C-alpha cells in the first residue's frame, strides 16, 4: 500500500533489512523514527535505533528484547507485526536500500509540508491571526523541515574548516566588515557574519550617528548593507548622509537657506554616496516583518550587514505581559537571523538615563537581560564632560578643550563584551556637523 504520503512496502522492506542484515547499520543512521508513517513501524525502528546508539548488534532477537524494555505490554503486538513483515518476504536487497530510504524520507517530507500548510490554513481561517505573522511562522517552519536531519561533525572536520577559514582571512579572501574607526577595529577586528553586536549609549550620545558611520564605511568597501530605522525618517537619514560629504553648517541644511556654492557641494556629496549598495526600511515595526524582508535580501544575495536602529523600538506580533519579555524575544530573533542567514547584525540599544554622564555598564542595557546574553559583542559609547574623566586618554587631556572649541566631541568607545576577543576602550573624535567619526593622531 502506498500514497504520496507514505509507502508501506518501502517501510516494511527497510525494517526487514535492518533485522536480517548485520551490514545495514548505515541505513539506521540515515533515518529517524519520525520518518515512518506507521506507528508500529516507527516504534520497531526506534527499538533498532536504540541498539544502534548503544553499539549493540541489531537483529531479530535483540530488537524484540529492546521492544520489551521500551514498550512493555505493547511488545507482543509489535513483535507479531515484525514477524508478519519477515514472513511476507518483503526483503530489501542491500543495493536497493538507498532507493527505499529515499522513498521513506520523501514521503516523510510530504507529510511535514502538508501539516505545516494545514496549520497555516487553520490559522488564516481563524481570522484573528495577523497574515504576516502566519507567513513568518510558515517560513520558519519550512526552514526547519530542510534542516531537520542534524549531523554530527567530527573534531577533525571542525578544525580543518577553522584552519581553512583562518587561511582565507589571512589571504584577504574572507575579510571582516570595517567599522570605519580604526582604533575600534583593532579591538574587535571588524564585524563578522553570524555575530550580533549591540551598540549601546544613553540618549543623545551618538549611537545612531556611529551606526550610520559604520554602515557607510562598510558599504564603501563593497559590502551590501541594510538599515532598519525606527528612530529617523528617510529624509532625516538622507540629510545625515549628505552632511558627511559637505562643509556646510547643519543649521543651513535644516533651514534650507542654501546658496549656489552649497548646492554644488550637495551635488558632489550625492554623487559620492549615490551608488552605494545601502537600502533602508523605515516602515518596519515588527521583528517578524523584518525577518521576512531580510530573508528576501539574503535569498537575492543582497545583504552582508544589517543595522537596526534601535532594538527596543522593534515590536513583535506575539503578545507578552511584560515589556522585558518582548525585548528578549526581539533580541533572540535578531541573534537567530545572524546564524540562520549568515549575516552580521549591528543592533543599536538604548541605555537607561541613570548615572548620566558615565560609561554605561552591561547591567544597564534597557529592557531585558537577554540583550547582553544574546549578543556576541557589546559596545558602549560615552562622551566625557571634561578632561578629568577617566575615559579620556592621558595624552589627550591637554588637548580636550581644543577639540571641543574646534567643534569636535570626544567619544570613548568601550568594548564591554566580546566572545572571541578582549574587552578594551578606544577613543575617537565625532564631528556632529559632518556626522563623521575619526581617530586621533598622536604622532609628533
Amino acid at each position: 500500500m502506498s500514497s504520496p504520503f507514505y509507502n508501506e512496502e518501502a517501510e516494511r522492506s527497510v525494517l526487514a533489512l535492518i533485522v536480517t542484515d548485520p551490514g545495514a547499520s548505515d541505513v539506521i543512521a540515515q533515518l529517524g523514527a519520525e520518518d515512518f508513517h506507521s506507528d508500529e513501524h516507527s516504534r520497531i525502528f526506534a527499538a533498532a535505533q536504540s541498539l544502534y546508539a548503544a553499539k549493540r548488534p541489531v537483529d531479530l532477537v535483540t530488537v524484540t528484547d529492546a521492544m520489551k524494555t521500551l514498550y512493555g505490554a505493547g511488545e507482543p503486538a509489535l513483535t507479531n507485526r515484525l514477524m508478519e513483515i519477515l514472513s511476507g518476504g518483503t526483503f530489501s536487497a542491500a543495493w536497493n536500500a538507498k532507493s527505499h530510504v529515499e522513498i521513506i524520507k520523501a514521503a516523510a517530507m510530504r507529510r511535514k509540508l502538508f501539516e505545516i500548510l494545514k496549520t497555516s490554513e487553520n490559522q488564516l481561517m481563524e481570522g484573528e491571526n495577523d497574515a504576516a505573522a502566519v507567513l513568518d511562522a510558515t517560513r520558519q517552519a519550512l526552514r526547519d523541515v530542510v534542516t531537520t536531519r542534524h549531523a554530527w561533525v567530527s573534531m577533525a572536520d571542525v578544525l580543518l574548516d577553522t584552519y581553512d577559514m583562518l587561511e582565507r582571512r589571512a589571504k584577504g579572501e574572507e575579510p571582516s566588515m570595517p567599522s570605519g574607526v580604526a582604533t575600534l577595529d583593532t579591538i574587535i577586528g571588524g564585524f563578522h557574519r553570524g555575530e550580533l553586536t549591540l551598540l549601546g549609549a544613553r540618549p543623545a550620545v551618538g549611537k545612531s550617528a556611529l551606526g550610520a558611520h559604520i554602515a557607510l564605511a562598510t558599504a564603501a568597501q563593497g559590502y551590501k548593507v541594510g538599515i532598519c530605522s525606527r528612530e529617523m525618517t528617510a529624509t532625516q537619514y538622507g540629510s545625515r548622509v549628505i552632511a558627511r560629504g559637505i562643509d556646510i553648517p547643519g543649521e543651513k541644511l535644516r533651514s534650507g537657506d542654501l546658496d549656489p556654492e552649497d548646492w554644488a557641494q550637495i551635488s558632489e556629496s550625492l554623487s559620492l554616496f549615490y551608488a552605494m549598495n545601502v537600502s533602508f526600511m523605515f516602515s518596519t515595526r515588527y521583528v517578524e516583518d523584518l525577518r521576512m524582508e531580510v530573508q528576501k535580501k539574503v535569498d537575492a544575495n543582497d545583504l552582508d550587514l544589517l543595522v537596526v536602529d534601535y532594538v527596543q523600538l522593534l515590536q513583535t506580533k506575539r503578545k507578552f505581559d511584560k515589556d522585558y519579555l518582548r525585548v528578549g524575544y526581539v533580541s533572540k530573533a535578531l541573534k537567530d537571523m545572524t546564524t540562520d542567514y549568515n549575516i552580521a547584525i549591528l543592533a543599536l540599544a538604548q541605555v537607561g538615563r541613570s548615572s548620566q554622564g558615565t560609561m554605561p555598564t552591561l547591567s544597564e542595557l534597557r529592557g531585558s537581560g537577554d540583550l547582553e546574553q544574546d549578543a556576541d559583542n557589546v559596545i558602549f559609547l560615552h562622551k566625557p564632560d571634561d578632561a578629568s574623566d577617566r575615559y579620556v586618554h592621558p595624552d589627550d587631556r591637554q588637548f580636550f578643550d581644543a577639540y571641543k572649541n574646534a567643534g569636535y566631541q570626544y567619544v570613548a568607545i568601550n568594548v564591554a563584551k566580546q566572545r572571541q576577543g578582549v574587552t578594551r576602550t578606544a577613543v575617537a573624535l565625532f564631528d556632529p556637523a559632518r556626522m563623521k567619526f575619526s581617530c586621533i593622531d598622536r604622532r609628533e
Side-chain angles (χ1 to χ4, degrees):
M1 184 186 301
S2 65
S3 81
F5 296 107
Y6 67 94
N7 188 304
E8 183 169 338
E9 290 77 9
E11 292 187 7
R12 291 163 57 101
S13 179
V14 167
L15 290 176
L17 176 68
I18 62 178
V19 298
T20 57
D21 186 348
S25 59
D26 60 326
V27 173
I28 301 175
Q30 296 175 54
L31 291 168
E34 72 279 0
D35 291 328
F36 289 80
H37 175 262
S38 165
D39 180 64
E40 290 180 324
H41 295 173
S42 176
R43 299 174 77 184
I44 293 170
F45 182 84
Q49 195 175 45
S50 69
L51 295 168
Y52 174 77
K55 295 185 177 180
R56 294 174 55 194
V58 179
D59 56 39
L60 178 60
V61 174
T62 57
V63 169
T64 301
D65 185 63
M67 288 192 295
K68 290 179 182 177
T69 302
L70 290 173
Y71 310 122
E75 175 271 326
L78 295 175
T79 299
N80 290 338
R81 177 58 173 163
L82 183 55
M83 295 305 296
E84 178 187 337
I85 290 172
L86 295 176
S87 64
T90 318
F91 290 82
S92 171
W95 54 83
N96 290 331
K98 181 177 180 180
S99 62
H100 291 182
V101 166
E102 292 303 320
I103 290 172
I104 294 173
K105 289 169 66 176
M109 175 76 77
R110 287 177 179 272
R111 293 196 302 274
K112 291 172 185 175
L113 289 175
F114 181 82
E115 288 301 321
I116 291 170
L117 297 177
K118 190 66 176 178
T119 299
S120 300
E121 179 188 19
N122 292 337
Q123 291 174 342
L124 291 172
M125 291 297 290
E126 288 176 7
E128 297 180 359
N129 296 306
D130 182 86
V134 174
L135 178 58
D136 181 56
T138 304
R139 283 178 181 271
Q140 292 191 52
L142 291 173
R143 289 178 67 87
D144 290 341
V145 168
V146 176
T147 58
T148 295
R149 184 65 58 222
H150 304 289
W152 288 97
V153 182
S154 70
M155 174 66 82
D157 287 337
V158 168
L159 294 180
L160 286 174
D161 288 346
T162 305
Y163 183 89
D164 290 341
M165 177 272 293
L166 293 173
E167 189 174 43
R168 289 194 301 273
R169 283 188 184 175
K171 293 178 179 179
E173 297 172 356
E174 194 174 289
S176 60
M177 302 170 216
S179 70
V181 181
T183 50
L184 175 59
D185 284 338
T186 60
I187 301 174
I188 65 172
F191 299 95
H192 298 275
R193 297 179 186 278
E195 291 188 354
L196 170 63
T197 300
L198 285 183
L199 174 59
R202 307 189 198 282
V205 173
K207 64 180 180 298
S208 293
L210 182 55
H213 179 92
I214 291 170
L216 295 177
T218 301
Q221 296 300 313
Y223 292 98
K224 302 157 187 173
V225 179
I227 299 174
C228 172
S229 178
R230 294 293 299 167
E231 180 81 340
M232 289 183 284
T233 65
T235 54
Q236 287 174 330
Y237 221 109
S239 296
R240 290 193 169 204
V241 173
I242 289 174
R244 292 174 62 86
I246 61 178
D247 189 16
I248 301 173
E251 57 268 21
K252 294 190 70 175
L253 288 178
R254 288 184 61 85
S255 67
D257 183 20
L258 302 167
D259 54 40
E261 289 77 14
D262 295 333
W263 285 111
Q265 287 194 54
I266 291 173
S267 296
E268 290 180 8
S269 184
L270 284 173
S271 64
L272 180 63
F273 299 108
Y274 189 83
M276 281 189 173
N277 196 335
V278 181
S279 50
F280 299 86
M281 289 286 294
F282 295 103
S283 60
T284 306
R285 182 181 178 186
Y286 297 103
V287 71
E288 291 89 351
D289 293 338
L290 177 60
R291 182 184 176 94
M292 286 192 294
E293 296 302 325
V294 166
Q295 181 167 357
K296 293 176 187 176
K297 280 280 189 184
V298 171
D299 289 345
N301 192 30
D302 196 31
L303 188 63
D304 299 308
L305 170 69
L306 173 67
V307 179
V308 178
D309 186 9
Y310 59 91
V311 63
Q312 287 98 338
L313 289 180
L314 274 178
Q315 302 295 316
T316 171
K317 293 175 181 179
R318 298 195 179 187
K319 304 299 182 184
F320 292 102
D321 295 333
K322 304 292 184 180
D323 197 55
Y324 75 89
L325 295 175
R326 173 189 64 84
V327 175
Y329 178 82
V330 170
S331 173
K332 286 181 171 59
L334 292 176
K335 176 55 188 174
D336 286 345
M337 282 187 230
T338 67
T339 53
D340 289 349
Y341 301 127
N342 193 33
I343 60 173
I345 294 183
L346 174 65
L348 280 52
Q350 188 74 271
V351 177
R353 292 179 181 271
S354 62
S355 305
Q356 189 78 21
T358 63
M359 179 69 77
T361 63
L362 291 171
S363 63
E364 293 178 285
L365 278 171
R366 186 172 165 186
S368 174
D370 290 327
L371 290 171
E372 175 196 347
Q373 296 172 24
D374 295 333
D376 298 281
N377 315 295
V378 179
I379 301 170
F380 290 122
L381 299 185
H382 166 55
K383 286 194 301 188
D385 292 328
D386 54 55
S388 64
D389 190 291
R390 64 185 291 258
Y391 285 98
V392 175
H393 193 282
D395 294 345
D396 299 334
R397 298 187 190 279
Q398 60 181 318
F399 305 110
F400 188 89
D401 290 335
Y403 295 143
K404 188 174 182 180
N405 293 334
Y408 293 101
Q409 297 175 1
Y410 191 94
V411 180
I413 308 173
N414 180 38
V415 179
K417 176 185 177 181
Q418 188 176 189
R419 289 196 203 277
Q420 303 295 328
V422 299
T423 57
R424 204 162 63 231
T425 301
V427 298
L429 294 178
F430 175 55
D431 181 355
R434 297 169 183 80
M435 291 291 157
K436 284 184 178 180
F437 287 79
S438 58
C439 297
I440 298 173
D441 189 351
R442 299 191 181 92
R443 291 175 297 182
E444 295 293 331

